[in-house]
Amino acid sequence: MAAGMWARRLIAVAALVLCGGGIAAQARAADGETLERIRSRGVMVCGLRSGVSGISFTDPQGHLDGFLVDVCRAYAAATLGNAQAIRVVRLPDKPQEFEPVEKHEVDVALTTTTWTFSRDVSFDVEFLLPLLYDGQGFAILSDGMPPPLDRLGPQTVCVKSPTTTVRNLQDHIRQADRPWTMRIFKTFDEALQAFLAHECGLLTTDRTVLVTSLAGYRKAGMGVHIYPDVISREPLTPYVARGDRQWYDIARWVLHAMILADAKNVTAADVQAGRLPDDPELDRMLGHGGGVSRTLGLSEDWALQVLAQVGNYGEMFDRNLGEPYGMERGFNRPWSRGGLLYAPPFR
């Protein structure tokens, strides 16, 4: 009886090993497929959601612009040598947002999506690394300096659903015992318009979105105040489909290259003029370090193309968020200047 039981267990273990080998082989077979697909079609396909000023939007002339659009261009420069070879696909709202990536309809999703535990383990996607460190904040309409957030009386708060923003607000109201009620909208624009019409006392979403979306109203003299307080951690993170390890590595290291160049103060103008410091790590990153880049399936000068055509992380941030909207970098500085952006060594 015992011998029979052990025999059945051995058979089960053998079956698991065989199945595991099949899964591993399938994953290995997927390696390289994304890069091959990008090069075959000749364009990088990036998934973005509805337009947010400074992040991803279409200007009055019909041109795509914004921080995340620039990141898409960086991927095109690295893989195709042409930062303009991009196509943007508008992703649906959550939770359907992840489906086009899982189905390989887009190569990378560049959205203001928070990397969370439930999303990481529930969808067939791989989050890369936080591209914007943000937090959920609040805006209020006030002609003068409003009271501190924790001293406000009863308020109606405009908020978009379905998002982590609603759950964060629910948790905050309960934990801080705020005398607030929520008014939930299907889109952020609906919540914004209700707030501007004084139908809500407060508007809440990621502070980045508050700053960019309300900038025009603030410049026009409307008494819009954005609190410095945040009630959450929002690591806004791009993601790709699971399975293609080569593409996952490429997608991460393109971001690392822009972060490292920012930390070392190497700009697009420096690269274009060949005005580079004597730095062994930069030499390796820019294509003088042997054949490591060939392991990724990229040309040796992929990082050089990214920096020359798009620029480093700080340049992208400044031209899309800093200069137009006065947004401070805060945590979105490199580790060398007190921020959270950290690049592993290029060795």
Side-chain angles (χ1 to χ4, degrees):
M1 187 74 166
M5 180 179 67
W6 279 109
R8 287 193 296 274
R9 287 185 178 179
L10 287 171
I11 292 171
V13 169
L16 285 172
V17 170
L18 288 173
C19 289
I23 292 171
Q26 184 178 357
R28 285 193 298 271
D31 284 352
E33 289 183 3
T34 306
L35 183 59
E36 182 180 347
R37 187 165 57 244
I38 292 167
R39 287 176 170 164
S40 176
R41 77 165 85 92
V43 294
M44 167 71 55
V45 179
C46 298
L48 294 95
R49 288 213 306 277
S50 56
V52 177
S53 297
I55 302 295
S56 60
F57 66 101
T58 304
D59 68 17
Q61 289 72 43
H63 301 132
L64 284 170
D65 214 345
F67 180 82
L68 293 178
V69 177
D70 268 355
V71 177
C72 184
R73 294 187 179 112
Y75 283 128
T79 56
L80 298 168
N82 180 5
Q84 303 308 313
I86 66 171
R87 184 167 75 236
V88 168
V89 173
R90 294 295 179 186
L91 299 177
D93 286 335
K94 302 179 185 71
Q96 290 76 25
E97 170 195 321
F98 300 95
E99 292 181 3
V101 178
E102 294 172 323
K103 295 176 180 178
H104 305 285
E105 295 170 358
V106 300
D107 304 316
V108 59
L110 301 167
T111 69
T112 52
T113 297
T114 303
W115 184 4
T116 67
F117 170 76
S118 60
R119 290 170 181 166
D120 200 15
V121 302
S122 301
F123 298 97
D124 201 20
V125 300
E126 291 274 14
F127 285 90
L128 302 174
L129 58 110
L131 199 54
L132 283 171
Y133 287 95
D134 210 344
Q136 183 173 332
F138 295 88
I140 189 171
L141 294 174
S142 176
D143 291 332
M145 180 60 66
L149 191 67
D150 60 2
R151 294 185 185 176
L152 290 177
Q155 297 288 331
T156 300
V157 187
C158 286
V159 61
K160 175 186 178 296
S161 182
T163 60
T164 56
T165 313
V166 171
R167 291 188 289 275
N168 291 338
L169 181 58
Q170 290 171 331
D171 290 344
H172 180 70
I173 290 173
R174 178 178 56 82
Q175 292 176 334
D177 195 24
R178 301 284 191 225
W180 298 350
T181 57
M182 296 190 305
R183 186 173 175 192
I184 299 175
F185 297 84
K186 290 183 179 180
T187 69
F188 175 72
D189 187 61
E190 290 174 343
L192 172 62
Q193 295 308 314
F195 168 72
L196 295 173
H198 297 272
E199 296 175 19
C200 305
L202 292 170
L203 173 68
T204 187
T205 189
D206 296 344
R207 285 195 84 252
T208 296
V209 178
L210 288 177
V211 170
T212 59
S213 299
L214 294 170
Y217 301 101
R218 299 174 79 185
K219 288 181 180 178
M222 183 177 289
V224 179
H225 177 80
I226 300 174
Y227 283 101
D229 315 61
V230 294
I231 61 170
S232 68
R233 304 186 311 279
E234 305 294 334
L236 307 180
T237 310
Y239 55 90
V240 297
R242 289 190 194 274
D244 189 339
R245 177 65 196 219
Q246 182 199 43
W247 178 237
Y248 174 69
D249 288 340
I250 290 171
R252 285 185 304 135
W253 282 98
V254 168
L255 303 181
H256 287 317
M258 293 188 292
I259 290 169
L260 181 65
D262 184 23
K264 292 180 179 285
N265 296 310
V266 175
T267 67
D270 293 331
V271 174
Q272 292 165 6
R275 192 172 57 245
L276 299 172
D278 182 10
D279 187 313
E281 185 176 24
L282 280 176
D283 284 345
R284 289 190 292 270
M285 187 179 81
L286 297 176
H288 308 293
V292 177
S293 293
R294 287 194 292 273
T295 304
L296 292 178
L298 300 178
S299 63
E300 290 291 335
D301 68 343
W302 65 269
L304 186 146
Q305 295 298 329
V306 169
L307 297 180
Q309 297 185 47
V310 184
N312 66 37
Y313 180 98
E315 290 180 283
M316 290 195 307
F317 188 101
D318 289 344
R319 68 171 165 260
N320 290 296
L321 299 171
E323 294 168 6
Y325 303 104
M327 189 177 298
E328 297 181 358
R329 288 188 64 177
F331 288 137
N332 297 301
R333 297 189 301 266
W335 77 99
S336 57
R337 295 196 287 274
L340 296 180
L341 297 176
Y342 192 94
F346 274 77
R347 294 191 184 279

